[in-house]
Amino acid sequence: MVYAVRSFPLSSEHSKFLIYAQDKETQEKWQVAVKLSLKPASPEESVKEPREIEEIVFPRQLTKHNGYLQRQKRDWVIPPINLPENSRGPFPQELVRIRSDRDKNLSLRYSVTGPGADQPPTGIFIINPISGQLSVTKPLDRELIARFHLRAHAVDINGNQVENPIDIVINVIDMNDNRPEFLHQVWNGTVPEGSKPGTYVMTVTAIDADDPNALNGMLRYRILSQAPSTPSPNMFTINNETGDIITVAAGLDREKVQQYTLIIQATDMEGNPTYGLSNTATAVITVTDVNDNPPEFTAMTFYGEVPENRVDVIVANLTVTDKDQPHTPAWNAVYRISGGDPTGRFAIQTDPNSNDGLVTVVKPIDFETNRMFVLTVAAENQVPLAKGIQHPPQSTATVSVTVIDVNENPYFAPNPKIIRQEEGLHAGTMLTTFTAQDPDRYMQQNIRYAKLSDPANWLKIDPVNGQITTIAVLDRESPNVKNNIYNATFLASDNGIPPMSGTGTLQIYLLDINDNAPQVLPQEAETCETPDPNAINITALDYDIDPNAGPFAFDLPLSPVTIKRNWTITRLNGDFAQLNLKIKFLEAGIYEVPIIITDSGNPPKSNISILRVKVCQCDSNGDCTDVDRIVGAGLGTGAIIAILLCIIILLILVLMFVVWMKRRDKERQAKQLLIDPEDDVRDNILKYDEEGGGEEDQDYDLSQLQQPDTVEPDAIKPVGIRRLDERPIHAEPQYPVRSAAPHPGDIGDFINEGLKAADSDPTAPPYDSLLVFDYEGSGSTAGSLSSLNSSSSGGEQDYDYLNDWGPRFKKLADMYGGGDD
């Protein structure tokens, strides 16, 4: 692209100058002559001086020479047509003329095909079919299509091809018609504080839709402004070709400036401010924190206190300050104890929110051993300090911890305490002294003892001196003794504030003595009526242990004499013996055979134990065949008696229930007989005396109590009725009608409305008419009733209450309740 560097006059004559081009790699050179001329002032002048149009001639056809096709050489090549974009016309604008050498002899027609002609986008290029003049119809846009590839054709009037098609390439020359555009309007980058000059920060990128290989698409970057401008207005620079932003000055400090904002400009035409187009974007650079500030304790000494024997208790709260960014590894503090805690009784945890150090007790502390601890603690960050920082990497402080004495539990030593004693000790025997110690050496306290657990209630303890004495005989064979050991627990309590207590276990290992005689086992057996084919094997059960148990001696007693006459016993070994029938036949039945068993204790202990033997009839295999064998062999006497008792009790309960039901029925029938039928008020109408016509007056017409429209006419009334009621003739009032599906709450309203309607109905019975009663004659032995005078005369009686009795008493209310009138 050739530009005018300055203004200069241009003469009417053509001005020429040369432009040279050289390939840097091959060193090949080219030159071209540029001719400058004045544009015509008006279209008329341009018509007067027509522009010379370049011609494109179809190459010559192949010719035959000696029977072979031979191409003739041509001395030119069809060059591409260069057409600048965004041309202002006028349109159509002539480009080239296409012709064939045969147009002298033939009438030819020319056409072009390809994208831009007959293919989308169509109509951009047109050709005159007669003259072959190729023209463009509209401005071109290189950013849409940078090159058009057309093919020119020549045919005769019959449509026969007379020339091979030729290729025409039209290059769209780029113009600087697009501004650079940044990929992002705001770019974000980071740089560590304290970075040296030349540290890479970020890269900003802009693109230009123009040709990147021409000046129109060659961009250059620069920084227009920086905010804030401290400590230097030029803290950053940018590579004008790549857009890389780097630091150019030292002094980045996050604690002073946390963020910089740069305005970046991108300009095409290699940054030419006169001809280039430009655009801007914003680069936000955040200064990231590095560990350039160590934590510092806010005090040189911290104080705390803790009760003894307490763990997981916060003793002291250590506070530090750190200027680095909060909640980052450069700010988070790590505490450690560097001295004063050789046994590791303390630990320091970091509060993640406040960054404080929490001194915690992790092992119990004994006041009697240590009353105070002086700890040396250090604090440092999770990450080491950055290189070149002159501060020490850690800060130290002292923590003074005071231990508070508290009342502790008394403890038995040893616990458990084991003693060995023979069983059978009598009550009142002193076994041992079981005392507890009080760890509170600096408190004057007394300890008292009590029994906490004694399953067999064999022991007691002196509340003052802790002496343990028996109150019952110790028995090794007791179910409360496990593996010859009896456990009892005792309680020791002090009188401190608050009182504390401790427990101790006394284990008594009981030595066995021969205090249990052996017993025969099993206690029931069965055998056949004859000695063969079976015998009874027995052994002995002794609750003592060696050497007070087996081997055992078995024998039969001398009396009764039938025992040794009928039975014989043979010792098999130290623990087993065999009982056999001595006679050839013994009648079936249950026999009790006494057996003398003696153990090996010193002195030995003997016992006569009863063996219940069932003698039964046997088959050839020696099995009992009696019906009651199962009962006799499978169930003992106690089980049989229990079953019988249960059956008897069940029968008694059933009998008592039957008797109670019959008695209840008799009482109910007796009550019914005691009631006189005439006095029975159930479902009966009671008759009372009333003044009237004798027995005939007791026949009531209940239909009169029904609604008026259900009253029977006088013509069908039964004979003997003396009530001559006459129904007055009035319009019947409207009674309320209950809905088909009433709500339960509407029943009361329905009844009240019906009552009001009935009270206001003059046609409802009983009617206000003359009633006729039987005549009872004249005269009376009772005399006149006029001699009965009330305490007040009728004139003094107040009858105003008749007005409240409804419309039926309206007549009486008018007669008596109207005052003097």
Side-chain angles (χ1 to χ4, degrees):
M1 302 298 295
V2 180
Y3 295 91
V5 178
R6 59 182 176 81
S7 301
F8 63 93
L10 184 63
S11 62
S12 59
E13 297 180 358
H14 296 297
S15 299
K16 296 183 179 180
F17 58 90
L18 298 178
I19 294 178
Y20 298 93
Q22 182 179 5
D23 192 325
K24 293 182 179 180
E25 296 180 356
T26 64
Q27 303 299 322
E28 185 178 358
K29 296 182 179 180
W30 300 271
Q31 70 179 22
V32 64
V34 178
K35 184 192 303 181
L36 295 181
S37 60
L38 291 174
K39 288 184 178 181
S42 62
E44 291 76 7
E45 295 182 9
S46 62
V47 173
K48 293 177 182 179
E49 297 181 3
R51 183 166 61 91
E52 182 179 356
I53 303 301
E54 182 182 0
E55 284 188 356
I56 297 177
V57 182
F58 283 91
R60 295 175 183 177
Q61 297 291 333
L62 297 177
T63 60
K64 287 186 179 182
H65 181 72
N66 296 329
Y68 295 96
L69 292 175
Q70 185 177 10
R71 180 183 295 274
Q72 296 180 359
K73 287 187 177 181
R74 49 189 177 89
D75 55 356
W76 54 273
V77 177
I78 300 175
I81 301 173
N82 295 326
L83 186 63
E85 65 173 333
N86 302 325
S87 175
R88 296 184 179 181
F91 296 102
Q93 179 180 348
E94 297 178 351
L95 299 180
V96 294
R97 182 185 176 196
I98 300 173
R99 74 176 186 85
S100 174
D101 293 340
R102 298 186 179 185
D103 60 353
K104 299 176 181 179
N105 302 324
L106 298 173
S107 177
L108 302 181
R109 297 293 184 267
Y110 301 96
S111 63
V112 291
T113 61
D118 62 341
Q119 298 178 16
T122 60
I124 296 179
F125 299 98
I126 60 175
I127 188 170
N128 189 317
I130 304 299
S131 64
Q133 183 68 45
L134 180 65
S135 304
V136 60
T137 61
K138 61 177 69 174
L140 304 181
D141 188 354
R142 191 204 67 84
E143 285 71 39
L144 295 179
I145 301 177
R147 173 179 291 185
F148 293 90
H149 193 173
L150 304 178
R151 305 199 76 181
H153 306 270
V155 297
D156 57 15
I157 58 175
N158 296 322
N160 298 319
Q161 179 177 321
V162 296
E163 297 283 2
N164 290 329
I166 60 173
D167 294 331
I168 300 175
V169 177
I170 301 175
N171 293 328
V172 183
I173 304 303
D174 184 41
M175 304 295 290
N176 191 16
D177 58 344
N178 291 281
R179 290 181 178 273
E181 295 291 341
F182 283 93
L183 297 181
H184 305 286
Q185 193 60 35
V186 178
W187 296 79
N188 294 294
T190 59
V191 60
E193 62 175 331
S195 298
K196 296 180 180 180
T199 303
Y200 171 79
V201 179
M202 60 189 300
T203 299
V204 297
T205 304
I207 58 175
D208 196 317
D210 292 326
D211 188 359
N213 299 319
L215 293 178
N216 298 335
M218 295 182 180
L219 306 182
R220 297 295 182 266
Y221 303 92
R222 71 189 185 101
I223 299 176
L224 295 182
S225 64
Q226 169 191 310
S229 59
T230 58
S232 171
N234 299 314
M235 297 295 295
F236 305 92
T237 185
I238 187 170
N239 188 310
N240 63 347
E241 293 185 1
T242 62
D244 294 342
I245 300 176
I246 60 175
T247 59
V248 72
L252 290 174
D253 190 353
R254 189 202 66 84
E255 286 74 31
K256 294 180 180 179
V257 179
Q258 298 183 1
Q259 193 176 82
Y260 289 92
T261 302
L262 307 179
I263 303 300
I264 310 298
Q265 183 186 57
T267 307
D268 58 14
M269 299 297 294
E270 290 187 324
N272 190 315
T274 303
Y275 303 105
L277 302 177
S278 62
N279 212 337
T280 60
T282 302
V284 179
I285 301 175
T286 302
V287 182
T288 59
D289 186 39
V290 298
N291 193 13
D292 56 347
N293 294 282
E296 297 180 1
F297 283 103
T298 58
M300 295 301 298
T301 305
F302 296 89
Y303 298 92
E305 59 182 20
V306 58
E308 64 173 332
N309 300 322
R310 296 282 299 276
V311 294
D312 298 330
V313 177
I314 297 177
V315 177
N317 191 13
L318 311 181
T319 56
V320 295
T321 58
D322 196 320
K323 297 179 181 179
D324 292 321
Q325 185 176 359
H327 306 291
T328 61
W331 178 81
N332 296 334
V334 178
Y335 300 88
R336 60 184 179 88
I337 300 174
S338 58
D341 185 23
T343 57
R345 298 184 180 275
F346 297 91
I348 304 179
Q349 299 177 353
T350 304
D351 188 329
N353 297 322
S354 63
N355 210 27
D356 294 345
L358 307 177
V359 182
T360 309
V361 180
V362 295
K363 293 182 181 179
I365 303 175
D366 188 6
F367 173 82
E368 286 71 26
T369 304
N370 299 97
R371 298 188 181 184
M372 178 176 289
F373 291 86
V374 179
L375 309 177
T376 302
V377 297
E380 57 187 2
N381 293 124
Q382 289 181 348
V383 295
L385 286 177
K387 295 181 180 180
I389 304 301
Q390 303 300 324
H391 299 287
Q394 64 182 14
S395 177
T396 59
T398 301
V399 181
S400 178
V401 180
T402 303
V403 182
I404 302 174
D405 189 17
V406 297
N407 188 21
E408 300 178 76
N409 297 324
Y411 63 93
F412 288 88
N415 189 15
K417 183 177 182 179
I418 302 176
I419 62 173
R420 299 171 65 89
Q421 291 288 342
E422 283 189 353
E423 65 172 330
L425 288 179
H426 298 289
T429 304
M430 200 277 288
L431 297 179
T432 185
T433 300
F434 196 22
T435 58
Q437 300 178 9
D438 192 348
D440 299 311
R441 297 194 302 269
Y442 302 98
M443 296 182 183
Q444 300 298 327
Q445 299 179 148
N446 297 325
I447 298 178
R448 297 186 66 83
Y449 303 94
K451 184 172 65 174
L452 189 62
S453 174
D454 183 12
N457 197 23
W458 288 345
L459 308 174
K460 71 175 181 178
I461 187 170
D462 189 282
V464 177
N465 56 24
Q467 287 186 355
I468 298 177
T469 309
T470 62
I471 58 175
V473 177
L474 305 183
D475 185 7
R476 191 198 65 85
E477 291 74 30
S478 171
N480 297 307
V481 178
K482 306 297 181 183
N483 298 324
N484 302 327
I485 295 177
Y486 179 74
N487 292 313
T489 305
F490 298 92
L491 180 70
S493 304
D494 61 20
N495 58 347
I497 300 176
M500 304 299 292
S501 60
T503 60
T505 301
L506 178 65
Q507 292 184 341
I508 305 175
Y509 188 88
L510 295 174
L511 303 176
D512 186 41
I513 63 173
N514 195 12
D515 57 345
N516 291 279
Q519 298 178 3
V520 68
L521 192 71
Q523 296 181 355
E524 296 181 356
E526 63 178 20
T527 186
C528 297
E529 294 176 331
T530 59
D532 294 328
N534 57 358
I536 301 173
N537 293 325
I538 61 173
T539 185
L541 174 64
D542 195 333
Y543 292 105
D544 294 325
I545 59 176
D546 291 337
N548 298 318
F552 300 98
F554 300 89
D555 197 4
L556 296 176
L558 298 177
S559 62
V561 295
T562 56
I563 298 301
K564 282 201 169 186
R565 185 182 62 190
N566 297 335
W567 305 93
T568 180
I569 191 167
T570 304
R571 188 170 181 264
L572 300 178
N573 53 36
D575 295 329
F576 291 92
Q578 193 174 72
L579 182 67
N580 293 283
L581 278 175
K582 191 175 183 181
I583 59 179
K584 294 182 179 181
F585 177 81
L586 183 63
E587 187 179 356
I590 297 176
Y591 298 86
E592 293 184 353
V593 180
I595 300 175
I596 301 174
I597 305 176
T598 305
D599 59 21
S600 299
N602 187 17
K605 206 170 187 64
S606 299
N607 181 36
I608 298 177
S609 185
I610 303 299
L611 175 63
R612 297 180 73 253
V613 180
K614 178 185 177 182
V615 180
C616 59
Q617 297 178 1
C618 298
D619 54 14
S620 60
N621 297 323
D623 298 328
C624 288
T625 58
D626 296 349
V627 178
D628 57 344
R629 171 183 174 274
I630 298 177
V631 177
L635 297 176
T637 305
I640 297 175
I641 295 175
I643 293 174
L644 293 176
L645 288 177
C646 292
I647 295 174
I648 294 173
I649 293 173
L650 182 60
L651 293 175
I652 292 175
L653 292 176
V654 173
L655 182 60
M656 292 176 62
F657 179 75
V658 172
V659 172
W660 178 76
M661 290 296 295
K662 289 184 177 181
R663 184 176 179 181
R664 183 180 177 185
D665 292 340
K666 290 180 179 181
E667 291 179 353
R668 185 179 301 172
Q669 294 176 2
K671 288 182 179 180
Q672 293 179 355
L673 294 175
L674 293 175
I675 299 176
D676 190 356
E678 295 182 357
D679 296 334
D680 191 1
V681 296
R682 293 174 297 174
D683 299 332
N684 291 327
I685 299 177
L686 300 182
K687 300 178 181 180
Y688 296 94
D689 295 337
E690 75 172 281
E691 184 177 1
E695 293 180 353
E696 292 181 354
D697 203 5
Q698 294 182 2
D699 295 331
Y700 300 103
D701 183 11
L702 298 180
S703 62
Q704 300 296 330
L705 300 178
Q706 300 175 359
Q707 292 190 3
D709 47 332
T710 61
V711 177
E712 298 179 358
D714 295 340
I716 60 174
K717 287 184 180 180
V719 181
I721 298 252
R722 297 297 183 177
R723 304 174 67 94
L724 301 179
D725 292 343
E726 297 296 335
R727 180 176 181 179
I729 300 175
H730 292 283
E732 295 183 359
Q734 294 295 329
Y735 283 86
V737 180
R738 189 180 180 187
S739 60
H743 188 274
D746 299 336
I747 297 176
D749 297 337
F750 172 75
I751 294 175
N752 293 330
E753 294 176 0
L755 179 60
K756 293 180 181 179
D759 289 340
S760 304
D761 185 8
T763 63
Y767 308 124
D768 191 9
S769 58
L770 179 63
L771 300 182
V772 179
F773 298 93
D774 285 352
Y775 179 67
E776 297 182 351
S778 60
S780 176
T781 57
S784 175
L785 296 179
S786 60
S787 61
L788 300 178
N789 294 325
S790 61
S791 59
S792 61
S793 62
E796 298 176 356
Q797 183 69 28
D798 185 9
Y799 296 100
D800 292 339
Y801 58 88
L802 296 176
N803 294 316
D804 301 332
W805 286 13
R808 301 187 183 281
F809 296 90
K810 187 175 182 303
K811 189 67 174 177
L812 290 176
D814 294 341
M815 295 174 60
Y816 293 95
D820 295 340
D821 297 336

